[in-house]
Amino acid sequence: MRSIYLLLLFCVICITCYAQTNHLPKKSLRFNIGESTHGTGDLKGISFGTAYTHYLKKKLSLEYHFKGTIHDDQDTYLLFVNGNLEQDGSVRTTTAGFQLGSLIRYSPLRTLNHEFTIAAGPYGRYESSSLGSNGYAARYPSPASPIPRILIEFDHSFAQRIYNIGYMAELSYSYTFKKRLFLGMNIAFQNDTNGDAITHLGFLVGKRF
């Protein structure tokens, strides 16, 4: 008798899993935004993007995405004369870029409501920075200088606009509500041929269909 009950329970589980698998969406479209760091973490900013996903199997899918990043920082150089601020010679840096890429996604957990995904893949990136790769030097005036001014010496021996290729690895989790709308979070790391290490941590929202 116990064997019959176990057999019935096994059949119910198999039927439930099969029915759920057949009703899982085959595609999804998402948007994401969050905080980001660039380089060693000294440049902070935001990342944003959109991605289209096509499921090949229940746990395996391909993603095609467009992403953008904007990072900025400031090195402060202030000159005071007789206790009063004479000059703010701070150097402000902005680095921004956008990229197109794809990810191979594996979802060890995927149900009608929950999905946890591990993904990795290549991308191509365009980037522009207001600061040259060789940086700059700040020179304060001597006490005897007739014109008290901070001088900033730049060294632009590399191109401002850069094209490169790289790789990205991502972990994400999402919860699907009614009408197949979902919310989630993702964390990602990427690196490229220019040595630009960029991290992403943010929220995502989308729809499955």
Side-chain angles (χ1 to χ4, degrees):
M1 195 67 175
R2 181 178 297 178
S3 300
I4 296 177
Y5 286 139
L6 291 176
L7 180 60
L8 290 175
L9 178 60
F10 177 76
C11 291
V12 170
I13 293 175
C14 290
I15 293 172
T16 303
C17 293
Y18 177 78
Q20 191 177 76
T21 300
N22 282 350
H23 286 85
L24 288 174
K26 302 297 184 182
K27 304 173 184 178
S28 71
L29 181 65
R30 80 178 197 191
F31 301 90
N32 64 274
I33 188 169
E35 62 181 21
S36 177
T37 64
H38 187 285
T40 59
D42 51 336
L43 288 178
K44 300 185 183 300
I46 63 170
S47 62
F48 53 90
T50 183
Y52 168 79
T53 299
H54 173 69
Y55 290 90
L56 305 176
K57 296 182 179 180
K58 177 184 177 181
K59 296 184 177 183
L60 187 65
S61 58
L62 287 177
E63 173 187 298
Y64 307 95
H65 61 251
F66 168 84
K67 296 182 182 294
T69 59
I70 302 175
H71 301 89
D72 60 71
D73 192 21
Q74 174 176 295
D75 292 334
T76 302
Y77 296 97
L78 303 177
L79 179 63
F80 290 88
V81 177
N82 298 325
N84 297 317
L85 179 61
E86 177 71 19
Q87 179 192 3
D88 182 351
S90 300
V91 176
R92 297 169 180 173
T93 303
T94 300
T95 299
F98 65 84
Q99 62 196 56
L100 293 172
S102 62
L103 297 176
I104 300 176
R105 306 167 76 247
Y106 175 71
S107 304
L109 171 64
R110 187 183 181 217
T111 67
L112 287 175
N113 297 110
H114 304 276
E115 183 174 14
F116 173 73
T117 301
I118 304 169
Y123 64 85
R125 179 176 173 86
Y126 165 81
E127 183 175 287
S128 178
S129 176
S130 63
L131 184 61
S133 299
N134 284 6
Y136 65 92
R139 306 182 187 279
Y140 280 87
S142 66
S145 175
I147 304 177
R149 285 291 167 184
I150 300 173
L151 299 180
I152 307 296
E153 178 183 347
F154 290 94
D155 185 1
H156 295 309
S157 60
F158 294 92
Q160 178 185 3
R161 301 179 180 90
I162 301 172
Y163 300 89
N164 48 57
I165 58 175
Y167 67 90
M168 170 183 284
E170 180 188 72
L171 297 176
S172 65
Y173 168 78
S174 62
Y175 180 84
T176 303
F177 299 88
K178 294 181 178 180
K179 298 184 179 181
R180 296 187 174 183
L181 297 175
F182 65 89
L183 293 174
M185 295 186 65
N186 71 323
I187 181 172
F189 171 82
Q190 67 179 62
N191 202 353
D192 58 39
T193 52
N194 192 50
D196 291 324
I198 300 177
T199 65
H200 311 262
L201 175 61
F203 297 94
L204 52 92
V205 59
K207 182 177 177 62
R208 307 190 192 282
F209 50 93

